[in-house]
Amino acid sequence: MGAQQSVNAGKAKVDVHVDLTHMLCEALLLPPMRNSGATFSQIVGRISLKHPSLFGRSEKLDVILDKGINESNAVIAFRRPRPEWLSQQSFVIQHTMTPEIAVHGFPADNFTRSGSRGINLSRLSLGVELNEPSTSNWTSGTSVKFEHIRPVNNEGRSIARDHDGFPLTCSGNLHDNMIILKQESGYADVNDNSFLKVNLQMEQGLPLVPKSLTFNRVKCAVSKGMKLGPTFLVTSLTGGSIVGDMAPYQAFAIGGLGSVRGYGEGAVGAGRLCLIANCEYTVPLAKHLEGSIFMDCGSDLGSACHVPGNPALRQGKPGFGVGFGYGIHFNTDLGQIRVDYAMNAFSRKTIYFGINSGGGS
């Protein structure tokens, strides 16, 4: 959902875009917590500059700036033209500033929201991305990048420890450095009656610079949808594991929209392992109108105690959560408007409102 304006400046194109996604909570009249996911916390403004031929040889330059109320993202990407049968190269520089509430936030209102501990992550990365040509239903991409990660407080000053005195980085210093080799593969088989999608991501931390983190992080997501008469059933399963060196911010956070609805972001838990299952059953109600029922569940598989500093256990997160509810989906020319009503295991309720610009489900 949003507004967009495009301006042509010579060969370059400038897009200004405002995206609006709301998550409304039952207790809307209470003062919103910083980074709690309350109303307006997910307003994002975007400025995008695109140049189709920077040096006259079809080299593409993309400059993107996203700014939310509590977060920011800046990306500079340079792409050189190559034959279609070769992998496409991109040189990318990115800087993000995000609140670290998924791991270090505290659950509030019976785990429906996550409050801030005043910890933010400044992440600077430089690297090369290679996207392989698509073959049949498969896609593949490889990247190598250097990352410099620095925890900061709300005033922008570097911090090394949380409010309980536990290290925020793997090194115990004010920052972590790592060189990451990432391989991502995807499979999609889609037709009018069903779909199957698989996504596999593997990250390997390489010990190529002093005090660099060495680890292996794997995440796999599988989703299956099928038509049952006029209705549609979608199930998905996501799992992840990390071994080797680890900073707390690398833990798999469980809870929130896209994970286990009815809980705040990361309010279920954060561990070295994760397993999340989702199921949604959609029924047509009228033209352009659908209703759905859903159930989500997620677990850290008892791995929270293996995260340095035990942040999830110190915040009293349960490590396992179940959410269920129902929703209304209205398909429009602008996209699909979704309103979901979720309840967690503590009988606390949350309303999610959003617009999927991609259209239907």
Side-chain angles (χ1 to χ4, degrees), residues 207-223:
L208 300 181
V209 295
K211 298 184 179 180
S212 177
L213 277 65
T214 304
F215 61 89
N216 181 265
R217 191 176 196 266
V218 179
K219 185 176 182 179
C220 182
V222 180
S223 60

Side-chain angles (χ1 to χ4, degrees), residues 35 99-108 113-119 163 265-267 311-312 314-317:
N35 309 330
E100 180 48 86
I101 63 172
V103 174
H104 292 285
F106 63 91
R113 297 193 289 178
S114 294
S116 171
R117 292 290 188 185
I119 300 171
H163 66 289
E265 184 181 358
R314 286 189 285 117
Q315 304 297 342
K317 298 178 181 180

Side-chain angles (χ1 to χ4, degrees), residues 283-344:
V283 179
L285 301 177
K287 186 177 181 180
H288 304 305
L289 184 65
E290 301 171 340
S292 68
I293 55 175
F294 59 83
M295 185 173 72
D296 307 328
C297 63
S299 171
D300 62 17
L301 303 177
S303 65
C305 60
H306 300 297
V307 176
N310 294 344
L313 297 180
R314 286 189 285 117
Q315 304 297 342
K317 298 178 181 180
F320 176 81
V322 177
F324 57 92
Y326 55 88
I328 296 293
H329 312 156
F330 185 63
N331 297 311
T332 71
D333 293 337
L334 297 177
Q336 184 186 73
I337 302 174
R338 293 179 60 103
V339 180
D340 291 330
Y341 179 89
M343 179 183 295
N344 65 18

